[in-house]
Amino acid sequence: MPNGNVLLDCSCWRPMCWTLQVLSDDQILREYKAQQSTERGFRSLKDPLFFTSSVFLKTPQRVAALAMLMGLCLLVYSLGQRSLRQALDRAQQTIDNQVGKPTAKPTLRWVFQCFMSIHLLTINGVKYITNLTQERLWIIQFFGAPCRKYYLLS
């Protein structure tokens, strides 16, 4: 084993199928730095906008259930952000960030904030989407057909 550096690989979803890998110092540093995105995700769960501080639970089982739901929410959020960034990369395109500069790595939180003023309006049984600007239409195209259907675009 070079330098005696060993990393327990927990990337496998099946229980008890962990493997030991021998990694170089550079590889260990890279893996360590990759944890930053996960830490950022959990930091967002503590954000006042998430309202977790206003939730009161009486039993440990409910606390565990809420933690599981929050973890699943973080997973879905991360997958959505990854999907958007990969679609932008494949198309070699960008979207504008908060200060109007083009970025190929937007956060999903920023996209959610951009879409906050979009509403579904039903008049005489006919559905309309309001406030769907050109910028928002540009972003929607990178999310795929189900998202376009959600916004009544297909």
Side-chain angles (χ1 to χ4, degrees), residues 14-98:
R14 289 171 281 149
M16 302 308 293
C17 71
W18 298 331
T19 58
L20 289 178
Q21 294 181 0
V22 177
L23 301 176
S24 69
D25 292 340
D26 289 338
Q27 289 171 315
I28 288 178
L29 184 59
R30 204 175 12 248
E31 289 293 324
Y32 176 76
K33 287 183 176 182
Q35 293 178 36
Q36 184 181 14
S37 63
T38 304
E39 294 297 329
R40 264 195 312 270
F42 279 102
R43 183 182 66 205
S44 70
L45 294 178
K46 298 176 191 175
D47 191 295
L49 293 174
F50 205 75
F51 297 112
T52 53
S53 62
S54 61
V55 176
F56 299 99
L57 302 170
K58 293 183 179 181
T59 65
Q61 292 84 3
R62 289 186 178 178
V63 172
L66 179 61
M68 178 66 174
L69 285 174
M70 291 172 68
L72 286 173
C73 288
L74 183 58
L75 174 66
V76 170
Y77 173 90
S78 298
L79 290 173
Q81 181 171 281
R82 181 175 182 244
S83 175
L84 172 60
R85 290 177 175 185
Q86 286 177 337
L88 287 167
D89 188 48
R90 278 192 306 273
Q92 296 181 343
Q93 296 292 331
T94 62
I95 64 173
D96 289 344
N97 65 11
Q98 295 91 323

Side-chain angles (χ1 to χ4, degrees), residues 48 67 75 81 87 109 121 127-128 134:
L75 174 66
Q81 181 171 281
R109 181 177 178 156
L121 179 64
K127 295 179 180 179
Y128 300 94
Q134 288 299 326

Side-chain angles (χ1 to χ4, degrees), residues 140-154:
I140 289 171
Q141 73 176 330
F142 298 107
F143 280 104
C147 189
R148 287 191 293 277
K149 183 178 179 183
Y150 181 82
Y151 287 101
L152 308 177
L153 298 172
S154 59

